[in-house]
């Protein structure tokens, strides 16, 4: 039984469970097709021009415009009506629905999806399952990858939602901020602080903790920043059975060096390694040159971190 009718190239797969995410997960169109998931785009606006993320503007086009703009672009979540259309289409096809979205502390996307889900449930009597990833970008992508594995193993929507909600507590994402320019443009850093930071080669390191972005350190240069990230990786440990991901914004060479160094700290991991381009939801605020890692900490599996992460 095919459920691809009306979805064109976005979603072609014979399944009974439809996994729906927003474009801030930074999963490419090609990977979304392979995984059998549906991506609902957020909107990004440069002045009077508005684009659907990943549909009407690519990551490359976005960063070209970002480098030329005098004012940061605005991003906005899909409306409840947009989600209702997507959910109703899935329910009409006879599918269960599982939605996984960017942290509710970073965007209104999850709330928008929940409002739509409630309306669809009232109209159809069908239960829909919404998950707050408590992360963003490659962190959310980790959760989606796990959901796809469980779906393909035949696990039902309710159990996948419960498993993903539990797993979200242990997802860690850390990143080196590429430039102070965009923090200044967004009002998160004063002009004087940005100037001084640039002159001193100050590199902020950020993390998503309990759904919120926090600065975990400010180092002198990228090498010190990477050491801070690896120290955190060693402290957290890494779940043996989970995937982990690296992401970057227009700095594939820097990321490759970081990946090779990171892999020297990681041993006996059975999960897959993913690499992704980071999109506009995060990139608006940190800009090109940003790169980082997302993983599931060892506490999630109850394993001793020393057996998972090398300390040398």
């Amino acid at each position: 039984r095919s459920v691809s009718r009306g979805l064109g190239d976005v979603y072609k797969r014979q399944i009974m469970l439809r996994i729906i995410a927003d474009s801030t997960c930074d999963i490419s169109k090609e990977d979304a097709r392979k995984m059998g998931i549906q991506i609902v785009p957020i909107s990004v606006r440069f002045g009077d021009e508005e684009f659907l993320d990943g549909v009407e503007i690519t990551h490359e086009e976005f960063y070209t415009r970002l480098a030329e703009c005098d004012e940061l672009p605005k991003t906005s979540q899909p409306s409840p009506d947009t989600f209702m259309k997507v959910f109703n289409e899935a329910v009409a096809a006879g599918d269960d629905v599982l939605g996984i979205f960017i942290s509710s502390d970073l965007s209104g996307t999850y709330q928008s999806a929940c409002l739509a889900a409630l309306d669809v449930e009232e109209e159809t009597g069908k239960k829909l399952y919404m998950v707050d990833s408590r992360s963003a970008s490659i962190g959310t992508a980790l959760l989606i990858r796990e959901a796809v594995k469980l779906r393909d193993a035949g696990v039902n929507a309710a159990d996948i939602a419960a498993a993903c909600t539990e797993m979200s507590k242990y997802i860690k994402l850390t990143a080196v901020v590429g430039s102070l320019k965009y923090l200044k443009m967004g009002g998160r850093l004063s002009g004087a602080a940005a100037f001084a930071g640039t002159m001193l080669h100050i590199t902020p390191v950020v993390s998503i903790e309990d759904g919120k972005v926090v600065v975990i350190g400010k180092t002198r240069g990228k090498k010190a920043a990477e050491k801070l990230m690896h120290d955190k990786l060693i402290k957290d440990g890494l779940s043996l059975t989970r995937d982990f991901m690296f992401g970057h914004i227009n700095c594939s060479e820097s990321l490759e060096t970081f990946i090779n160094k990171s892999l020297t700290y990681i041993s006996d991991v059975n999960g897959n390694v993913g690499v992704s381009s980071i999109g506009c939801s995060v990139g608006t605020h940190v800009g090109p040159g940003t790169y980082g890692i997302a993983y599931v900490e060892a506490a999630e599996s109850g394993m001793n971190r020393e057996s998972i992460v090398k300390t040398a």
Side-chain angles (χ1 to χ4, degrees), residues 2-309:
S2 174
V3 298
S4 63
R5 56 186 180 276
L7 290 173
D9 290 333
V10 176
Y11 191 83
K12 291 182 177 178
R13 193 178 180 92
Q14 292 184 344
I15 60 172
M16 292 292 290
L17 170 60
R18 194 174 305 193
I19 297 173
I20 297 170
D22 64 87
S23 62
T24 67
C25 67
D26 294 331
I27 294 174
S28 68
K29 286 183 179 180
E30 181 182 358
D31 286 343
R33 291 191 190 104
K34 290 178 180 178
M35 297 165 71
I37 65 172
Q38 185 172 354
I39 304 291
V40 180
I42 67 168
S43 298
V44 56
R45 177 181 290 275
F46 286 91
D48 295 330
E49 294 183 275
E50 185 170 275
F51 306 91
L52 292 177
D53 179 32
V55 177
E56 298 170 335
I57 188 169
T58 65
H59 288 184
E60 293 77 12
E61 291 167 342
F62 172 80
Y63 287 113
T64 297
R65 282 178 170 264
L66 183 67
E68 298 171 349
C69 69
D70 296 321
E71 182 179 339
L72 287 184
K74 307 294 184 183
T75 58
S76 58
Q77 71 264 17
S79 67
D81 285 344
T82 298
F83 278 122
M84 281 187 68
K85 181 179 179 180
V86 173
F87 295 161
N88 275 320
E89 189 175 48
V91 171
D95 292 333
D96 286 337
V97 174
L98 172 68
I100 302 176
F101 306 105
I102 185 174
S103 170
S104 58
D105 285 314
L106 301 178
S107 167
T109 300
Y110 174 72
Q111 289 91 338
S112 185
C114 286
L115 288 172
L118 285 173
D119 284 345
V120 173
E121 287 175 347
E122 290 179 359
E123 291 176 3
T124 66
K126 177 88 169 180
K127 175 65 178 175
L128 281 65
Y129 299 89
M130 302 292 109
V131 175
D132 181 347
S133 73
R134 309 300 293 154
S135 192
S137 188
I138 55 176
T140 304
L142 275 184
L143 210 58
I144 294 167
R145 287 163 71 114
E146 181 65 18
V148 168
K149 288 181 181 180
L150 293 173
R151 179 204 65 196
D152 292 348
V155 180
N156 64 50
D159 288 345
I160 296 176
C164 286
T165 298
E166 181 64 18
M167 180 178 164
S168 70
K169 301 173 185 177
Y170 302 96
I171 292 178
K172 303 295 182 182
L173 190 162
T174 56
V176 173
V177 174
S179 171
L180 301 179
K181 171 184 175 181
Y182 300 98
L183 293 175
K184 174 181 174 293
M185 288 177 67
R188 291 171 171 80
L189 194 66
S190 69
F195 176 77
T198 300
M199 294 298 293
L200 295 172
H201 303 289
I202 298 298
T203 302
V205 179
V206 298
S207 179
I208 296 184
E209 305 284 352
D210 192 28
K212 302 178 180 67
V213 177
V214 296
V215 177
I216 61 173
K218 299 175 183 177
T219 66
R220 296 284 295 273
K222 295 290 179 68
K223 287 186 178 180
E226 290 183 2
K227 182 180 185 304
L228 178 61
M229 294 168 68
H230 288 140
D231 287 346
K232 179 171 170 46
L233 174 62
I234 291 170
K235 180 181 177 182
D236 292 338
L238 189 73
S239 176
L240 274 173
T241 59
R242 302 296 191 184
D243 294 354
F244 56 103
M245 291 196 69
F246 296 92
H248 74 101
I249 301 176
N250 287 1
C251 57
S252 56
E253 291 185 4
S254 295
L255 180 69
E256 184 177 358
T257 301
F258 178 65
I259 290 174
N260 291 333
K261 180 65 174 177
S262 298
L263 293 178
T264 66
Y265 289 87
I266 300 167
S267 63
D268 303 322
V269 174
N270 296 321
N272 297 314
V273 181
V275 178
S276 176
S277 167
I278 297 173
C280 64
S281 64
V282 173
T284 295
H285 307 292
V286 293
T290 296
Y291 56 92
I293 182 173
Y295 53 92
V296 182
E297 66 175 327
E300 189 263 353
S301 62
M303 299 191 67
N304 186 302
R305 70 175 176 85
E306 282 78 9
S307 68
I308 302 170
V309 177

